[in-house]
Amino acid sequence: MNDDVEQRVARLKVIERIAEKNNFRADVMAALEVVERHQFIAEYQQAKAYRDKPLPIDAGQTISQITTVAAQTNLLNLQKGQKVLEIGTGSGYQTAILLEMGFQVYSMERIEKLHLLAKENLNKTGYDKAVLIYGDGFEGLPQYAPYDGILIACAAPGIPDKLLEQLAIGGRMVVPVGVYEQKMTVIERISADDYHSSFEGYYHFVPMLKGKESDIQY
Ligand code: SAH
């Protein structure tokens, strides 16, 4: 078997296991099947591409566990064509999943090296339609707001105020909140001033940090 066939077999296997344990939307599962996670991780990690585990990418950050990416995308609960803001582009894998599902995607990353890595990964896999921004996710991107969905892929110390303001009425924010372990929280904007929140289980994420960081220190 060549590499790609082997990776495809491994991908289908892990998806089958995820499907046994979870009840995610069909379009989320379909995107997991199409997007090649191994294209978003380093050469030395290729053998681990389809283990359902987070893996180091660069700059001390990680690509999320496959089930976590699926769970957050599932909680967004959006339809094709809707607008999503992602905080924490990382490798670009989650961005590719969102694009594969037909969303309009804006994604922010505070580490320049990773912003560039994601751009490269997304271009080489043909997912070149996202607006990728090197910037601080705490600020969001008010110029493109409101968003039908905001997906935060890092551990937020609290609910970021400015992002709440950028959520469309009827829109949902999916955010892991906490320091050592995070409560996956879904916040739905009911009206201009009313939000409803629900708790969706515990997770572990790398921290959401303030400000931009250039790659000079790495
Ligand atoms: N979705 C990514 C997961 C990346 S891990 C993937 O599929 O690979 C979380 C990322 O959030 C890290 O790259 C980290 O640098 C980034 N991050 C942390 N705080 C941030 C902030 N304030 N703004 C933007 N990105 C942030």
Side-chain angles (χ1 to χ4, degrees):
M1 282 197 283
N2 70 31
D3 257 19
D4 278 358
V5 175
E6 232 168 86
Q7 293 288 36
R8 183 171 159 72
V9 170
R11 183 162 69 254
L12 294 180
K13 253 189 211 157
V14 76
I15 291 170
E16 209 173 289
R17 280 200 302 276
I18 293 172
E20 280 163 15
K21 289 192 228 147
N22 303 276
N23 190 19
F24 296 139
R25 287 166 49 130
D27 56 357
V28 173
M29 297 311 292
L32 289 186
E33 206 172 311
V34 176
V35 180
E36 300 185 336
R37 189 178 190 242
H38 65 279
Q39 307 273 14
F40 294 83
I41 59 177
E43 205 50 48
Y44 78 101
Q45 301 273 6
Q46 287 298 308
K48 297 182 182 167
Y50 297 105
R51 290 189 196 168
D52 193 15
K53 296 261 164 66
L55 291 171
I57 39 177
D58 205 344
Q61 306 304 311
T62 52
I63 178 171
S64 301
Q65 187 176 339
I66 305 172
T67 297
T68 303
V69 170
Q72 286 198 281
T73 311
N74 195 65
L75 289 169
L76 276 179
N77 204 19
L78 297 177
Q79 307 304 324
K80 232 182 170 120
Q82 288 191 295
K83 205 197 284 181
V84 179
L85 174 64
E86 177 192 26
I87 308 299
T89 322
S91 67
Y93 174 69
Q94 168 84 70
T95 318
I97 295 281
L98 297 171
L99 289 168
E100 178 60 37
M101 291 178 70
F103 304 140
Q104 291 174 55
V105 186
Y106 298 82
S107 184
M108 300 183 75
E109 172 57 57
R110 69 180 285 279
I111 298 177
E112 189 173 23
K113 197 174 181 178
L114 292 179
H115 161 72
L116 296 172
L117 173 75
K119 198 177 263 184
E120 195 183 309
N121 289 341
L122 288 163
N123 281 335
K124 82 172 179 208
T125 48
Y127 292 104
D128 52 4
K129 294 267 151 49
V131 177
L132 302 177
I133 306 282
Y134 165 46
D136 181 1
F138 279 103
E139 300 297 320
L141 289 175
Q143 63 271 44
Y144 301 111
Y147 302 96
D148 303 301
I150 298 180
L151 189 161
I152 304 189
C154 39
I159 309 291
D161 289 350
K162 290 185 181 165
L163 296 183
L164 275 184
E165 288 166 19
Q166 294 172 32
L167 202 56
I169 292 170
R172 261 178 302 281
M173 185 190 302
V174 178
V175 50
V177 183
V179 179
Y180 299 107
E181 62 177 358
Q182 291 84 46
K183 287 184 172 176
M184 189 62 77
T185 308
V186 177
I187 296 172
E188 192 173 351
R189 188 169 197 176
I190 309 292
S191 68
D193 303 318
D194 295 313
Y195 297 87
H196 174 265
S197 95
S198 64
F199 164 63
E200 303 289 343
Y202 285 98
Y203 289 82
H204 289 275
F205 281 82
V206 294
M208 181 172 184
L209 301 172
K210 286 226 159 74
K212 286 198 283 191
E213 193 156 286
S214 83
D215 59 353
I216 293 160
Q217 311 146 62
Y218 295 101

